[in-house]
Amino acid sequence: MRSRKQSLRVLHVCSEIFPYLKTGGLADVTAALPAALSRAGCDVRMLVPGFPDLVKHIRNKHLVAELPPRFGAQAVRLIYGILPETGLSAYYIEAPGLYDRPGNPYIDIYGQSYGDNHRRFALLGWMSARLVEGFDFFWRPRIVHGHDWHSGLAFAYIRALEWSKSRHLAGTVFTIHNMAYQGNFSGSVFGELDLPSWMYSPEGVEFYGQVSFLKTGLAYAGKINTVSPTYAREIHGGEQACGLGGIVWRRDGDLSGILNGIDTDTWNPAADPVLATTYNARSITGKKQCRLALQQEMGLRSPNSGPLFCVVSRFASQKGLHLVLGAMEQIRKKGGQIIIVGSGEHYLEQAFSDYAGRYPQQAAVRIGYDEALAHRVIAGSDVIMVPSRYEPCGLTQFYGLRYGTLPLVHRVGGLADSVTDCTPETLLEKTATGFVFEHFDQSAMTDAVNRAFDLFATPAQWRSVQRQGMKQKLDWKRAAREYKALYNAVLPANRIS
Ligand code: ADP
Ligand code: GLC
């Protein structure tokens, strides 16, 4: 048996974990990456806010520490337990009044950000530093790995702690899943954060007169990474930098890109319990049955000889879905069909639904969030479209590859790093996995859709590209190795324990 004593103790700090609480791909990553690191020999624990959807699933709870009121909570407790699906250990922060609210983790039931989000997520960061300080006598992290702005202040609290003790206590890694979500608050809240005043500077927490959680992580984490190599380059300037290009350049030597993996157990066409039938790369006939079953479920005409396109996505401006809207008529007129699953911007919900209302045999739309439906749609479709304006990594193109559903993507961020365009050369070399378009405009999208129709008309070639996609190694092993290398690069040199 592996000796736990020698394992590297890593604390992952985040605000959502699949399948308990998920608003996007972040939750998929914070479920699967820690589990992969654990399999790779790390001693991993999670630290999360005590959101009811997380707390109700955590088993074998026991109290680690009890603290006086802080950050607006009437009491603060640190509780330890086990996440049943992965068996991972998790600390959560119980803070009555702070986390136990209806709505999602960040916004209330009216869609407004909670007014005290700076305190709610400051407490998460503050608690990371307390664990580094030794709050849990039995387990002290040597690495703190935070995800997105929610964890950003952890790096300031840890830096402040180390400054006060004049010692390097823990290595720190900050993963940016999306530069556009920054956790910016009025500069006037700085006084509520319990940070040394010298940190309120352009080199630290301050961002044009505001407190920025994301910038804080960028400023104080030992190493920073984004979720794909291309996105790591893109955030140095222009629109993608979201105003933070200066600090990104300043930290360039510590910045890298590590492409996400996917949970190949959850996303496995050979054993997916929600599909009409299972299939694999060698025997793909089951996919045809999945397609028929899906067409029936969605009320589409079946059989239908043209390709079936799908989208499974948040309807946010990031996702470039106006290009899909603009391609629907083209798809229908050429004899294809389209299924859209998602929710978000109202005008898109309305426009997609109107179109499906007009052509119910060729287009179907489901507004909402439905995990099982997402599996069935991806399995039953021929093409999955991800035409994002920008995309730090993106996961649904990977799900498409795994399910023999060719991704059609804009060449940006992680999409550029994960899909190989069908060209005469790549088809010949058998490296093609999907359709990639260069310019973010309707004519490039139209061209990509036309190319999908053309390839679909040559079944042998289609089959070969499908097989190539299904063969890709998409699990978390490679990324886990790369994260371990980052951890080793930031480990405190002289810490005993
Ligand atoms: P982002 O995190 O930017 O939304 P990703 O592609 O990284 O984009 O992750 C999105 C995740 O959310 C994927 O797991 C995808 O399957 C899932 N998803 C998005 N919309 C829906 C939906 N309406 N129903 C089910 N799953 C969805
Ligand atoms: C963010 C990004 C997405 C990425 C996901 C997981 O939500 O928008 O591109 O796949 O995080 O890292």
Short mmCIF file of all heavy atoms in Angstrom, two decimals, residues 129 152-164 187 190-191 193-207 210-212 215-217 219-221 247 250:
data_model
loop_
_atom_site.label_atom_id
_atom_site.label_comp_id
_atom_site.label_asym_id
_atom_site.label_seq_id
_atom_site.Cartn_x
_atom_site.Cartn_y
_atom_site.Cartn_z
N ALA A 129 -5.46 29.88 4.51
CA ALA A 129 -4.25 30.28 5.23
C ALA A 129 -4.22 29.68 6.63
O ALA A 129 -3.15 29.32 7.15
CB ALA A 129 -4.17 31.80 5.30
N GLY A 152 -9.13 33.48 -4.98
CA GLY A 152 -8.04 34.43 -5.22
C GLY A 152 -7.41 35.00 -3.95
O GLY A 152 -6.19 35.15 -3.86
N LEU A 153 -8.23 35.31 -2.95
CA LEU A 153 -7.66 35.94 -1.74
C LEU A 153 -6.84 34.96 -0.91
O LEU A 153 -6.04 35.38 -0.07
CB LEU A 153 -8.75 36.56 -0.87
CG LEU A 153 -9.38 37.87 -1.34
CD1 LEU A 153 -9.96 38.65 -0.17
CD2 LEU A 153 -8.44 38.77 -2.12
N ALA A 154 -7.01 33.66 -1.14
CA ALA A 154 -6.21 32.68 -0.39
C ALA A 154 -4.73 33.03 -0.51
O ALA A 154 -3.97 32.96 0.47
CB ALA A 154 -6.44 31.27 -0.95
N PHE A 155 -4.33 33.45 -1.72
CA PHE A 155 -2.91 33.69 -1.98
C PHE A 155 -2.41 34.93 -1.24
O PHE A 155 -1.25 35.00 -0.85
CB PHE A 155 -2.68 33.76 -3.49
CG PHE A 155 -3.19 32.52 -4.17
CD1 PHE A 155 -4.44 32.49 -4.78
CD2 PHE A 155 -2.46 31.34 -4.11
CE1 PHE A 155 -4.94 31.33 -5.34
CE2 PHE A 155 -2.94 30.16 -4.67
CZ PHE A 155 -4.19 30.16 -5.29
N ALA A 156 -3.30 35.89 -1.00
CA ALA A 156 -2.92 37.07 -0.22
C ALA A 156 -2.82 36.69 1.27
O ALA A 156 -1.87 37.09 1.95
CB ALA A 156 -3.94 38.18 -0.42
N TYR A 157 -3.78 35.94 1.76
CA TYR A 157 -3.73 35.56 3.19
C TYR A 157 -2.50 34.70 3.47
O TYR A 157 -1.88 34.83 4.52
CB TYR A 157 -5.01 34.83 3.60
CG TYR A 157 -6.23 35.72 3.63
CD1 TYR A 157 -7.28 35.53 2.74
CD2 TYR A 157 -6.33 36.78 4.53
CE1 TYR A 157 -8.40 36.36 2.75
CE2 TYR A 157 -7.45 37.62 4.55
CZ TYR A 157 -8.47 37.40 3.64
OH TYR A 157 -9.57 38.23 3.65
N ILE A 158 -2.18 33.81 2.54
CA ILE A 158 -1.00 32.95 2.75
C ILE A 158 0.26 33.80 2.70
O ILE A 158 1.16 33.67 3.53
CB ILE A 158 -0.97 31.79 1.73
CG1 ILE A 158 -2.15 30.85 1.98
CG2 ILE A 158 0.35 31.02 1.80
CD1 ILE A 158 -2.41 29.83 0.89
N ARG A 159 0.31 34.73 1.73
CA ARG A 159 1.49 35.60 1.63
C ARG A 159 1.62 36.45 2.90
O ARG A 159 2.73 36.60 3.44
CB ARG A 159 1.35 36.50 0.39
CG ARG A 159 2.52 37.45 0.17
CD ARG A 159 3.81 36.70 -0.15
NE ARG A 159 3.76 36.02 -1.43
CZ ARG A 159 4.12 36.57 -2.59
NH1 ARG A 159 4.56 37.80 -2.63
NH2 ARG A 159 4.05 35.88 -3.71
N ALA A 160 0.49 36.95 3.41
CA ALA A 160 0.55 37.78 4.62
C ALA A 160 1.02 36.95 5.81
O ALA A 160 1.82 37.41 6.65
CB ALA A 160 -0.83 38.38 4.90
N LEU A 161 0.56 35.71 5.87
CA LEU A 161 0.98 34.82 6.96
C LEU A 161 2.49 34.56 6.89
O LEU A 161 3.21 34.66 7.89
CB LEU A 161 0.19 33.50 6.84
CG LEU A 161 0.62 32.36 7.74
CD1 LEU A 161 0.26 32.66 9.20
CD2 LEU A 161 -0.06 31.04 7.30
N GLU A 162 2.94 34.25 5.70
CA GLU A 162 4.38 33.96 5.52
C GLU A 162 5.22 35.20 5.83
O GLU A 162 6.30 35.11 6.42
CB GLU A 162 4.64 33.45 4.09
CG GLU A 162 4.00 32.10 3.84
CD GLU A 162 4.28 31.53 2.45
OE1 GLU A 162 4.50 32.33 1.52
OE2 GLU A 162 4.28 30.30 2.31
N TRP A 163 4.69 36.34 5.47
CA TRP A 163 5.39 37.61 5.72
C TRP A 163 5.51 37.82 7.23
O TRP A 163 6.58 38.16 7.75
CB TRP A 163 4.58 38.71 5.05
CG TRP A 163 5.06 40.11 5.23
CD1 TRP A 163 6.19 40.66 4.69
CD2 TRP A 163 4.41 41.13 5.97
NE1 TRP A 163 6.27 41.98 5.06
CE2 TRP A 163 5.19 42.30 5.84
CE3 TRP A 163 3.24 41.21 6.72
CZ2 TRP A 163 4.85 43.50 6.44
CZ3 TRP A 163 2.89 42.39 7.32
CH2 TRP A 163 3.69 43.52 7.19
N SER A 164 4.41 37.52 7.95
CA SER A 164 4.44 37.75 9.41
C SER A 164 5.39 36.76 10.10
O SER A 164 5.94 37.04 11.15
CB SER A 164 3.04 37.67 10.01
OG SER A 164 2.60 36.33 9.98
N GLY A 187 -13.33 49.37 -3.93
CA GLY A 187 -12.13 49.47 -3.11
C GLY A 187 -12.46 49.68 -1.64
O GLY A 187 -11.67 49.33 -0.74
N PHE A 190 -11.98 46.91 1.12
CA PHE A 190 -10.67 46.38 1.51
C PHE A 190 -10.54 46.27 3.03
O PHE A 190 -10.01 45.28 3.55
CB PHE A 190 -9.53 47.21 0.93
CG PHE A 190 -8.18 46.65 1.24
CD1 PHE A 190 -7.69 45.54 0.55
CD2 PHE A 190 -7.40 47.16 2.28
CE1 PHE A 190 -6.45 44.98 0.86
CE2 PHE A 190 -6.17 46.60 2.60
CZ PHE A 190 -5.69 45.51 1.89
N GLY A 191 -11.05 47.28 3.73
CA GLY A 191 -10.96 47.31 5.20
C GLY A 191 -11.64 46.12 5.86
O GLY A 191 -11.35 45.77 7.01
N LEU A 193 -11.42 43.07 4.85
CA LEU A 193 -10.81 41.81 4.43
C LEU A 193 -9.71 41.30 5.36
O LEU A 193 -9.21 40.19 5.18
CB LEU A 193 -10.26 41.95 3.00
CG LEU A 193 -11.29 42.32 1.94
CD1 LEU A 193 -10.64 42.46 0.56
CD2 LEU A 193 -12.41 41.28 1.87
N ASP A 194 -9.32 42.14 6.31
CA ASP A 194 -8.31 41.70 7.27
C ASP A 194 -6.98 41.34 6.58
O ASP A 194 -6.37 40.31 6.88
CB ASP A 194 -8.87 40.47 8.03
CG ASP A 194 -8.16 40.28 9.36
OD1 ASP A 194 -7.37 41.17 9.73
OD2 ASP A 194 -8.37 39.23 10.00
N LEU A 195 -6.59 42.21 5.65
CA LEU A 195 -5.29 42.03 4.96
C LEU A 195 -4.39 43.22 5.31
O LEU A 195 -4.90 44.30 5.58
CB LEU A 195 -5.51 42.00 3.45
CG LEU A 195 -6.06 40.71 2.85
CD1 LEU A 195 -6.47 40.92 1.39
CD2 LEU A 195 -5.04 39.57 2.95
N PRO A 196 -3.08 43.03 5.31
CA PRO A 196 -2.20 44.18 5.59
C PRO A 196 -2.39 45.28 4.56
O PRO A 196 -2.58 44.99 3.37
CB PRO A 196 -0.79 43.58 5.50
CG PRO A 196 -0.92 42.19 5.04
CD PRO A 196 -2.35 41.79 5.04
N SER A 197 -2.33 46.53 5.00
CA SER A 197 -2.67 47.65 4.12
C SER A 197 -1.73 47.73 2.92
O SER A 197 -2.12 48.17 1.84
CB SER A 197 -2.68 48.96 4.88
OG SER A 197 -1.41 49.14 5.48
N TRP A 198 -0.48 47.25 3.05
CA TRP A 198 0.45 47.34 1.91
C TRP A 198 -0.02 46.50 0.71
O TRP A 198 0.43 46.69 -0.41
CB TRP A 198 1.89 46.99 2.31
CG TRP A 198 2.09 45.64 2.95
CD1 TRP A 198 2.16 45.39 4.29
CD2 TRP A 198 2.30 44.36 2.31
NE1 TRP A 198 2.37 44.05 4.53
CE2 TRP A 198 2.47 43.40 3.33
CE3 TRP A 198 2.34 43.94 0.98
CZ2 TRP A 198 2.68 42.04 3.06
CZ3 TRP A 198 2.54 42.59 0.71
CH2 TRP A 198 2.71 41.66 1.74
N MET A 199 -0.94 45.57 0.97
CA MET A 199 -1.41 44.76 -0.16
C MET A 199 -2.37 45.52 -1.08
O MET A 199 -2.62 45.11 -2.21
CB MET A 199 -2.08 43.49 0.34
CG MET A 199 -1.06 42.47 0.82
SD MET A 199 -1.81 40.88 1.14
CE MET A 199 -0.34 39.86 1.21
N TYR A 200 -2.91 46.62 -0.58
CA TYR A 200 -3.81 47.41 -1.44
C TYR A 200 -2.98 48.31 -2.35
O TYR A 200 -2.84 49.51 -2.12
CB TYR A 200 -4.81 48.22 -0.60
CG TYR A 200 -5.92 48.79 -1.47
CD1 TYR A 200 -6.90 47.95 -2.01
CD2 TYR A 200 -5.98 50.15 -1.77
CE1 TYR A 200 -7.89 48.45 -2.84
CE2 TYR A 200 -6.98 50.66 -2.59
CZ TYR A 200 -7.92 49.80 -3.12
OH TYR A 200 -8.91 50.30 -3.95
N SER A 201 -2.39 47.72 -3.35
CA SER A 201 -1.54 48.47 -4.27
C SER A 201 -1.69 47.85 -5.66
O SER A 201 -2.16 46.71 -5.79
CB SER A 201 -0.07 48.37 -3.83
OG SER A 201 0.48 47.16 -4.31
N PRO A 202 -1.27 48.57 -6.70
CA PRO A 202 -1.39 48.02 -8.05
C PRO A 202 -0.57 46.73 -8.24
O PRO A 202 -0.83 45.96 -9.14
CB PRO A 202 -0.83 49.13 -8.95
CG PRO A 202 -0.94 50.37 -8.13
CD PRO A 202 -0.78 49.97 -6.71
N GLU A 203 0.40 46.51 -7.35
CA GLU A 203 1.18 45.25 -7.43
C GLU A 203 0.43 44.10 -6.75
O GLU A 203 0.87 42.96 -6.77
CB GLU A 203 2.54 45.40 -6.75
CG GLU A 203 3.60 46.04 -7.61
CD GLU A 203 3.28 47.52 -7.85
OE1 GLU A 203 3.01 48.22 -6.85
OE2 GLU A 203 3.26 47.93 -9.02
N GLY A 204 -0.67 44.43 -6.08
CA GLY A 204 -1.36 43.40 -5.29
C GLY A 204 -2.84 43.33 -5.59
O GLY A 204 -3.26 43.02 -6.72
N VAL A 205 -3.64 43.69 -4.59
CA VAL A 205 -5.08 43.47 -4.62
C VAL A 205 -5.83 44.51 -5.45
O VAL A 205 -6.89 44.24 -6.01
CB VAL A 205 -5.59 43.51 -3.14
CG1 VAL A 205 -7.09 43.48 -3.06
CG2 VAL A 205 -4.95 42.39 -2.33
N GLU A 206 -5.24 45.71 -5.57
CA GLU A 206 -5.97 46.84 -6.16
C GLU A 206 -5.99 46.76 -7.70
O GLU A 206 -4.99 46.42 -8.33
CB GLU A 206 -5.30 48.14 -5.71
CG GLU A 206 -6.11 49.37 -6.01
CD GLU A 206 -5.66 50.09 -7.28
OE1 GLU A 206 -4.60 49.73 -7.85
OE2 GLU A 206 -6.39 50.98 -7.72
N PHE A 207 -7.15 47.08 -8.27
CA PHE A 207 -7.32 47.03 -9.73
C PHE A 207 -8.22 48.21 -10.13
O PHE A 207 -9.43 48.14 -9.94
CB PHE A 207 -7.95 45.69 -10.10
CG PHE A 207 -8.15 45.47 -11.58
CD1 PHE A 207 -7.14 45.69 -12.50
CD2 PHE A 207 -9.38 44.99 -12.06
CE1 PHE A 207 -7.33 45.46 -13.85
CE2 PHE A 207 -9.58 44.76 -13.41
CZ PHE A 207 -8.56 45.00 -14.31
N GLN A 210 -10.45 49.22 -7.46
CA GLN A 210 -11.31 48.15 -6.92
C GLN A 210 -10.45 47.09 -6.24
O GLN A 210 -9.23 47.04 -6.43
CB GLN A 210 -12.06 47.48 -8.06
CG GLN A 210 -13.07 48.39 -8.75
CD GLN A 210 -13.82 47.60 -9.81
OE1 GLN A 210 -13.25 47.18 -10.80
NE2 GLN A 210 -15.11 47.40 -9.57
N VAL A 211 -11.12 46.24 -5.48
CA VAL A 211 -10.47 45.04 -4.97
C VAL A 211 -10.76 43.94 -5.99
O VAL A 211 -11.93 43.71 -6.32
CB VAL A 211 -11.07 44.64 -3.60
CG1 VAL A 211 -10.72 43.21 -3.25
CG2 VAL A 211 -10.60 45.59 -2.51
N SER A 212 -9.73 43.31 -6.52
CA SER A 212 -9.95 42.25 -7.50
C SER A 212 -9.42 40.91 -6.96
O SER A 212 -8.22 40.76 -6.73
CB SER A 212 -9.25 42.58 -8.83
OG SER A 212 -9.31 41.45 -9.68
N LYS A 215 -7.12 39.25 -9.67
CA LYS A 215 -5.81 39.88 -9.76
C LYS A 215 -4.96 39.51 -8.54
O LYS A 215 -3.74 39.32 -8.65
CB LYS A 215 -5.97 41.40 -9.85
CG LYS A 215 -4.64 42.06 -10.09
CD LYS A 215 -4.73 43.55 -10.14
CE LYS A 215 -3.29 44.08 -10.24
NZ LYS A 215 -3.22 45.47 -9.83
N THR A 216 -5.60 39.39 -7.40
CA THR A 216 -4.87 39.02 -6.18
C THR A 216 -4.20 37.65 -6.37
O THR A 216 -3.03 37.46 -6.01
CB THR A 216 -5.83 38.97 -4.98
OG1 THR A 216 -6.44 40.26 -4.86
CG2 THR A 216 -5.11 38.63 -3.70
N GLY A 217 -4.94 36.72 -6.94
CA GLY A 217 -4.36 35.40 -7.21
C GLY A 217 -3.19 35.51 -8.18
O GLY A 217 -2.14 34.90 -7.98
N ALA A 219 -1.32 38.02 -8.59
CA ALA A 219 -0.19 38.74 -7.97
C ALA A 219 0.57 37.85 -6.99
O ALA A 219 1.80 37.90 -6.93
CB ALA A 219 -0.71 39.98 -7.26
N TYR A 220 -0.13 37.03 -6.21
CA TYR A 220 0.53 36.39 -5.06
C TYR A 220 0.72 34.88 -5.16
O TYR A 220 1.41 34.31 -4.31
CB TYR A 220 -0.24 36.72 -3.77
CG TYR A 220 -0.17 38.18 -3.41
CD1 TYR A 220 -1.33 38.95 -3.25
CD2 TYR A 220 1.06 38.82 -3.23
CE1 TYR A 220 -1.27 40.29 -2.90
CE2 TYR A 220 1.13 40.17 -2.90
CZ TYR A 220 -0.04 40.89 -2.74
OH TYR A 220 0.04 42.22 -2.42
N ALA A 221 0.11 34.22 -6.14
CA ALA A 221 0.33 32.77 -6.23
C ALA A 221 1.74 32.48 -6.72
O ALA A 221 2.30 33.24 -7.53
CB ALA A 221 -0.69 32.14 -7.18
N ILE A 247 -0.40 42.63 -15.55
CA ILE A 247 0.08 41.70 -14.51
C ILE A 247 0.37 40.32 -15.10
O ILE A 247 1.28 39.62 -14.64
CB ILE A 247 -0.89 41.64 -13.31
CG1 ILE A 247 -0.23 40.83 -12.19
CG2 ILE A 247 -2.25 41.07 -13.66
CD1 ILE A 247 -0.76 41.10 -10.83
N ARG A 250 3.76 40.59 -16.27
CA ARG A 250 4.67 40.63 -15.12
C ARG A 250 4.92 39.23 -14.56
O ARG A 250 6.02 38.90 -14.13
CB ARG A 250 4.07 41.55 -14.03
CG ARG A 250 4.95 41.76 -12.83
CD ARG A 250 4.78 43.15 -12.21
NE ARG A 250 3.45 43.43 -11.73
CZ ARG A 250 2.94 42.95 -10.61
NH1 ARG A 250 3.64 42.14 -9.85
NH2 ARG A 250 1.72 43.27 -10.23
#
